[in-house]
């Protein structure tokens, strides 16, 4: 091809590209991208979110028992052997080899694989409490006092043995990052009753000590859902949300004019391109404007009573503490926020379990029980589902010398304990059971998928019908494997 021919070819190609772009985006005042988006929304079975709250118009599928959720996420794997799952006969077997008939060749982490599996009995004492007679370890005295308001599930099962995949599984239904979190699914399905706060808020404990346990953003991410549904993390700082405050010298009126101009430009671009992320950007700007007032009012605890601080404990006065975050969680559900998630890390007790696990209990026990009491006193517990738990449990075999003060426990996915209350949950019951070693579930196993299906059901959502189309597939929180709603947990 000679030079002049090549130039003519390039010009024709350029004109063709422009023509395609014009046809697809602007031709005849119609955006085919926007049209395609509309058809996709129709194909998703009415998944368009046209209401002011952002909820799907086809939801709820049934009358909900719970309006909102507080997930008290204990990151690192709390030891059911010390806290909830009493196995008194283990003291007779201390230091003996775990029978192969119990272990059944189950996978171990690289930290303990190939080492002797020597039994370490519980380091706490247990008692039965309340009319329900639930057993609770001595490191959780406040939880013990609230057992008649709680439902203990001692037969939780997961597939993952390491932290990141197990926590990702617990929070998104899949062990690999990239799926929407439980809170994002809830936000996408039900939206919020408060236009001045996000649907989904995340609070992370500000520890007094250093921790090497990371909390990844995908734990509260939106995955393939539009980014408006991801969790908004409140920081333990003067400005709880980054870039929320206006620069010094910028009057509010001028800021409002700037936002109005940006909205107009973004709406024009949306008409041209039909990209749903542009709509997300518009909503985020408007939400940030409203949060400039709502967030400072929310995070200012000066209007809380002395009796409230006494209920939640002395640490509740320290900003960013787990106890202070529990108070914030109650304030958020009072304001109609749909999903609130607290993260408290450092339950990964591979050594010194007597001191480390007991310390985590001191961090969280009084405040967790106080949150239940506080919600109940304010008439909020019946409509608020509260869930306490981690990504897995701990194994009966010791890590380190079994009879040393430094002994700890390795990860254990085959049985662990969570508790739930409020929002349609039966109170004062214990569901499921484990063997004499707290190693395998013997009655009523509850997989993480079953827990997700149950939570959605309590919110009025059928987990099998609740899908989102992505890359040609209809995804759901509970995936394609068998899962069921655990009706035995419900009132």
């Amino acid at each position: 091809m000679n030079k002049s021919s090549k130039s003519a070819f390039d010009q024709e190609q350029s004109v063709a590209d422009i023509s395609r772009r014009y046809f697809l985006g602007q031709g005849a005042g119609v955006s085919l991208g926007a049209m395609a988006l509309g058809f996709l929304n129709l194909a998703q079975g009415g998944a368009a979110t046209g209401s002011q709250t952002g909820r799907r118009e086809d939801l709820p599928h049934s009358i909900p028992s719970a309006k909102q959720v507080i997930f008290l996420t204990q990151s690192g794997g709390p030891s059911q052997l010390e806290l909830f799952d009493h196995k008194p006969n283990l003291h007779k077997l201390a230091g003996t080899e775990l029978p192969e008939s119990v272990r059944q060749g189950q996978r171990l982490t690289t930290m303990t694989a190939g080492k002797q599996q020597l039994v370490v009995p519980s380091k706490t004492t247990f008692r039965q409490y309340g009319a329900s007679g639930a057993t609770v370890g001595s490191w959780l005295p406040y939880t013990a006092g609230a057992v008649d308001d709680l439902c203990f599930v001692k037969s939780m099962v997961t597939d993952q043995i390491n932290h990141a995949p197990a926590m990702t599984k617990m929070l998104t239904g899949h062990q690999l990052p990239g799926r929407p979190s439980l809170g994002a699914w809830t936000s996408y399905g039900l939206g919020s009753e408060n236009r001045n706060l996000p649907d989904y808020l995340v609070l992370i404990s500000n520890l007094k000590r250093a921790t090497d346990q990371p909390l990844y953003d995908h734990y509260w991410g939106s995955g393939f859902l539009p980014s408006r549904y991801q969790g908004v993390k409140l920081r333990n700082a003067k400005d709880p949300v980054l870039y929320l405050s206006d620069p010094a010298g910028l009057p509010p009126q001028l800021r409002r004019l700037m936002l109005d101009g940006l909205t107009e430009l973004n709406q024009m671009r949306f008409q041209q391109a039909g990209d749903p992320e542009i709509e997300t950007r518009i909503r985020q700007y408007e939400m940030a404007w409203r949060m400039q007032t709502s967030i400072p009012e929310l995070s200012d605890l000066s209007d809380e009573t002395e009796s409230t601080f006494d209920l939640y404990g002395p640490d509740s006065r320290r900003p960013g503490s787990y106890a202070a975050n529990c108070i914030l969680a109650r304030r958020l559900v009072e304001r109609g926020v749909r999903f609130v998630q607290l993260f408290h890390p450092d339950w990964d007790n591979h050594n010194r379990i007597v001191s480390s696990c007991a310390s985590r209990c001191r961090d969280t026990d009084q405040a967790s029980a106080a949150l239940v009491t506080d919600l109940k006193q304010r008439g909020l517990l019946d409509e608020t589902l509260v869930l306490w738990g981690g990504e897995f449990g701990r194994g009966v075999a010791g890590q380190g010398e079994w009879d040393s003060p430094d002994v700890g426990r390795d990860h254990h996915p085959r049985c662990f304990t969570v508790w739930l209350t409020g929002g349609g949950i039966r109170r004062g019951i214990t569901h499921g059971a484990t063997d004499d070693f707290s190693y395998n579930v013997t009655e009523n196993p509850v997989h993480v998928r079953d827990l997700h299906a149950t939570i959605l059901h309590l919110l009025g959502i059928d987990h099998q019908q609740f899908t989102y189309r992505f890359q040609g597939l209809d995804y759901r929180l509970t995936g394609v494997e068998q899962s069921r709603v655990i009706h035995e947990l419900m009132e």
Side-chain angles (χ1 to χ4, degrees):
M1 184 182 295
N2 60 39
K3 186 175 182 180
S4 61
S5 298
K6 187 174 186 300
S7 177
F9 175 81
D10 289 342
Q11 289 179 355
E12 289 177 7
Q13 192 69 20
S14 178
V15 170
D17 288 343
I18 293 171
S19 299
R20 279 195 295 271
R21 285 198 298 272
Y22 184 81
F23 177 72
L24 291 171
Q26 297 171 289
V30 177
S31 167
L32 292 191
M35 288 172 62
L37 177 66
F39 283 123
L40 283 174
N41 281 336
L42 288 173
Q44 285 167 207
T49 56
S51 67
Q52 284 294 317
T53 63
R55 71 185 306 151
R56 268 181 47 160
E57 293 176 348
D58 62 329
L59 292 177
H61 297 125
S62 59
I63 298 174
S65 302
K67 290 174 57 179
Q68 54 242 340
V69 178
I70 299 175
F71 191 167
L72 305 176
T73 312
Q74 313 301 318
S75 177
S79 174
Q80 78 283 359
L81 281 154
E82 269 65 43
L83 306 184
F84 305 112
D85 206 9
H86 184 34
K87 302 298 177 185
N89 292 332
L90 290 181
H91 286 278
K92 303 174 185 176
L93 301 171
T96 63
E97 185 86 22
L98 180 67
E100 185 56 38
S101 60
V102 174
R103 185 185 162 193
Q104 300 174 7
Q106 294 177 31
R107 180 187 174 195
L108 302 172
T109 74
T110 56
M111 292 172 281
T112 54
K115 298 180 180 179
Q116 272 192 306
Q117 301 294 298
L118 302 182
V119 170
V120 174
S122 174
K123 298 296 182 179
T124 58
T125 57
F126 281 83
R127 281 181 50 201
Q128 289 183 298
Y129 295 89
S132 61
T135 55
V136 179
S138 54
W139 293 343
L140 295 175
Y142 291 93
T143 301
V147 293
D148 288 341
D149 283 320
L150 307 181
C151 167
F152 294 96
V153 180
K154 294 189 176 181
S155 51
M156 286 297 305
V157 179
T158 188
D159 307 314
Q160 307 303 317
I161 200 170
N162 290 311
H163 293 292
M167 185 58 80
T168 304
K169 180 85 171 185
M170 172 60 80
L171 299 181
T172 74
H174 196 271
Q175 68 269 25
L176 298 177
R179 304 289 182 93
S181 61
L182 174 61
W185 277 110
T186 305
S187 171
Y188 163 63
L190 299 177
S192 177
E193 296 183 345
N194 188 326
R195 295 182 67 251
N196 298 322
L197 290 167
D199 310 340
Y200 176 20
L201 278 157
V202 176
L203 306 167
I204 299 176
S205 296
N206 181 15
L207 303 179
K208 293 180 179 179
R209 59 197 175 275
T211 177
D212 58 358
Q213 188 176 9
L215 295 173
Y216 301 105
D217 286 352
H218 71 259
Y219 289 166
W220 52 87
S222 58
F224 46 69
L225 293 175
S227 56
R228 64 167 295 196
Y229 301 113
Q230 68 186 2
V232 174
K233 183 171 66 173
L234 294 186
R235 304 185 312 141
N236 303 307
K238 181 180 178 182
D239 290 329
V241 180
L242 283 171
Y243 314 119
L244 196 62
S245 301
D246 289 333
L250 180 64
Q253 299 88 341
L254 181 57
R255 178 63 172 164
R256 182 66 259 177
L257 287 172
M258 292 171 60
L259 289 175
D260 290 342
L262 280 171
T263 297
E264 187 175 349
L265 290 171
N266 279 320
Q267 286 173 340
M268 291 169 58
R269 184 57 186 157
F270 178 73
Q271 290 299 318
Q272 294 171 347
D275 183 353
E277 285 300 308
I278 297 174
E279 282 195 316
T280 293
R281 192 180 308 138
I282 294 170
R283 290 189 183 96
Q284 286 173 332
Y285 280 132
E286 290 302 314
M287 178 61 74
W289 169 261
R290 295 192 293 270
M291 286 168 63
Q292 287 183 316
T293 300
S294 62
I295 289 293
E297 182 271 335
L298 166 75
S299 56
D300 181 6
L301 303 186
S302 61
D303 60 345
E304 295 290 339
T305 65
E306 289 296 313
S307 61
T308 297
F309 288 116
D310 291 342
L311 178 65
Y312 283 86
D315 210 29
S316 62
R317 297 181 182 276
R318 180 172 67 86
S321 67
Y322 179 84
N325 285 346
C326 282
I327 297 177
L328 281 175
R330 186 262 296 160
R331 291 168 70 92
L332 286 166
V333 297
E334 280 183 314
R335 288 156 175 79
V337 173
R338 186 70 64 182
F339 200 102
V340 183
Q341 188 153 17
L342 276 64
F343 283 89
H344 193 76
D346 247 18
W347 288 91
D348 193 20
N349 307 138
H350 288 281
N351 53 40
R352 296 181 179 273
I353 195 166
V354 171
S355 59
S356 59
C357 186
S359 294
R360 302 302 80 74
C361 292
R362 285 193 295 271
D363 291 343
T364 60
D365 175 43
Q366 183 173 357
S368 297
L371 177 61
V372 175
T373 300
D374 199 5
L375 291 170
K376 187 177 180 181
Q377 290 174 346
R378 294 170 188 266
L380 290 167
L381 188 59
D382 287 341
E383 63 185 32
T384 305
L385 175 64
V386 183
L387 168 64
W388 183 103
E391 67 269 41
F392 45 51
R394 314 304 294 191
V396 67
Q399 186 170 351
E401 297 296 328
W402 73 270
D403 55 351
S404 166
D406 294 335
V407 71
R409 298 190 189 277
D410 201 1
H411 313 160
H412 189 65
R414 300 309 301 169
C415 66
F416 60 107
T417 300
V418 303
W419 59 253
L420 306 93
T421 187
I425 290 292
R426 288 178 63 196
R427 303 176 200 175
I429 68 166
T430 295
H431 181 81
T434 62
D435 61 23
D436 291 339
F437 295 83
S438 190
Y439 206 86
N440 301 293
V441 172
T442 57
E443 294 178 17
N444 301 318
V446 177
H447 195 276
V448 168
R449 292 187 300 273
D450 303 327
L451 181 65
H452 290 164
T454 304
I455 291 170
L456 291 179
H457 179 84
L458 291 166
L459 291 166
I461 299 173
D462 184 332
H463 73 101
Q464 294 180 311
Q465 298 182 45
F466 187 38
T467 63
Y468 186 89
R469 176 150 290 213
F470 176 65
Q471 295 182 341
L473 297 175
D474 291 326
Y475 284 87
R476 64 189 191 196
L477 172 63
T478 51
V480 298
E481 296 176 88
Q482 185 66 37
S483 53
R484 70 183 187 95
V485 175
I486 311 299
H487 290 282
E488 299 91 325
L489 306 183
M490 301 178 190
E491 293 178 323

